[in-house]
Amino acid sequence: MMDILMYLFETYIHSDVELLVDQDELSDELLRAGFHQDDIYKALTWLEKLAALQDTENTPYMNNSAVTSIRVYTAQEMTRLDTTCRGFLTYLEQVHVLSGDTREMVIDRVMELETSEFVLDDLKWIILMVLFNAPGNESAYSQMEELLYGAEDGYIH
């Protein structure tokens, strides 16, 4: 499913190509690209749930944490998000790329992925998708984009 999400993000969202509104056309295009129908359905559902996270009535954990609060991860979250991933999330909060709300959105979306293997690079893509989708996070999105793409150009000093 991560492959489909990354494909959609790079092909439509990140490249500023107009996203096809018709879900059937989008599914057909993804099928032509070589993805399986079940995975396409799961990825599109995942994206719909990402968009729904903006509605705080359906996500009561949003807007309820104090600035000084500390995130305690559940056993399931620690299984999915290894120490490196959790440390990266903490780092992004410290440099104000993520807020408590966007961190929770990221964790929510990570836990909804159906994958047996999840690595830091996958987390970075999920963070980009969440920040792109969350209004008012344009600066944070740009910072995250620089962290993701800028690191490929060489060492950060």
Side-chain angles (χ1 to χ4, degrees):
M1 185 164 71
M2 270 304 292
D3 292 339
I4 296 172
L5 293 171
M6 289 170 56
Y7 175 86
L8 288 171
F9 189 75
E10 289 221 320
T11 303
Y12 294 104
I13 299 170
H14 188 258
S15 63
D16 292 329
V17 172
E18 187 175 325
L19 184 60
L20 300 173
V21 176
D22 188 335
Q23 195 168 9
D24 291 333
E25 288 180 42
L26 184 57
S27 294
D28 289 344
E29 173 157 343
L30 290 169
L31 281 170
R32 287 191 299 275
F35 297 111
H36 297 287
Q37 184 65 48
D38 287 344
D39 292 333
I40 293 168
Y41 174 76
K42 289 175 186 174
L44 294 176
T45 301
W46 187 95
L47 287 169
E48 288 174 6
K49 289 180 179 179
L50 171 61
L53 285 178
Q54 301 304 316
D55 182 7
T56 57
E57 289 179 18
N58 293 330
T59 52
Y61 59 80
M62 304 296 279
N63 299 318
N64 290 330
S65 62
V67 175
T68 58
S69 66
I70 296 174
R71 178 61 154 88
V72 178
Y73 292 87
T74 67
Q76 295 91 343
E77 291 168 343
M78 289 193 306
T79 299
R80 175 66 53 92
L81 295 163
D82 64 14
T83 305
T84 304
C85 290
R86 293 190 311 269
F88 188 67
L89 287 172
T90 301
Y91 166 74
L92 292 179
E93 276 190 270
Q94 290 171 344
V95 297
H96 305 288
V97 170
L98 289 178
S99 66
D101 290 345
T102 52
R103 178 202 60 221
E104 291 304 312
M105 293 169 95
V106 167
I107 293 169
D108 180 88
R109 294 296 75 217
V110 166
M111 297 308 294
E112 285 290 319
L113 289 172
E114 293 183 12
T115 182
S116 58
E117 189 174 312
F118 188 79
V119 295
L120 182 59
D121 284 339
D122 295 335
L123 177 62
K124 290 176 181 178
W125 282 102
I126 299 299
I127 293 166
L128 262 182
M129 291 177 208
V130 166
L131 290 174
F132 183 85
N133 189 66
N137 287 290
E138 293 79 13
S139 175
Y141 175 82
S142 296
Q143 288 177 281
M144 188 60 206
E145 194 174 40
E146 180 61 32
L147 284 172
L148 185 63
Y149 293 117
E152 295 173 2
D153 295 337
Y155 293 104
I156 299 174
H157 298 280

